[in-house]
């Protein structure tokens, strides 16, 4: 998973506990272990799209 704020890539098993101090407690939010931003888990489709777009940018960077 990639944090939408700081860009840190982490496995969902590395997530920080997002439910401390929260009233909802079972919202499935994942907290970035680097910056603490809370986000919903990536869907498989979103993950595939992000990987595809990332590879496009990597290829364009190598050409320059």
């Amino acid at each position: 998973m990639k944090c939408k704020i700081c860009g840190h890539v982490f496995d969902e098993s590395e997530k920080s506990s997002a439910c401390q101090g929260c009233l909802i407690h079972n919202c499935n939010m994942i907290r970035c272990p680097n910056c603490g931003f809370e986000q919903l888990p990536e869907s498989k489709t979103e993950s595939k799209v992000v990987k595809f777009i990332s590879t496009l940018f990597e290829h364009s960077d190598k050409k320059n």
Side-chain angles (χ1 to χ4, degrees), residues 1-15:
M1 170 166 225
K2 183 174 183 177
C3 178
K4 294 175 179 156
I5 297 296
C6 71
H8 179 69
V9 178
F10 61 98
D11 189 288
E12 288 184 25
S13 63
E14 294 178 54
K15 68 182 181 181

Side-chain angles (χ1 to χ4, degrees), residues 20-56:
Q20 295 174 342
C22 176
L23 299 174
I24 299 172
H25 285 294
N26 288 318
C27 63
N28 296 324
M29 297 290 279
I30 295 175
R31 180 177 285 172
C32 173
N34 188 52
C35 71
F37 177 69
E38 294 178 2
Q39 58 194 0
L40 290 171
E42 286 182 338
S43 68
K44 290 182 181 180
T45 304
E46 179 183 8
S47 181
K48 288 179 182 178
V49 170
V50 169
K51 286 179 185 177
F52 175 72
I53 292 172
S54 296
T55 58
L56 290 176

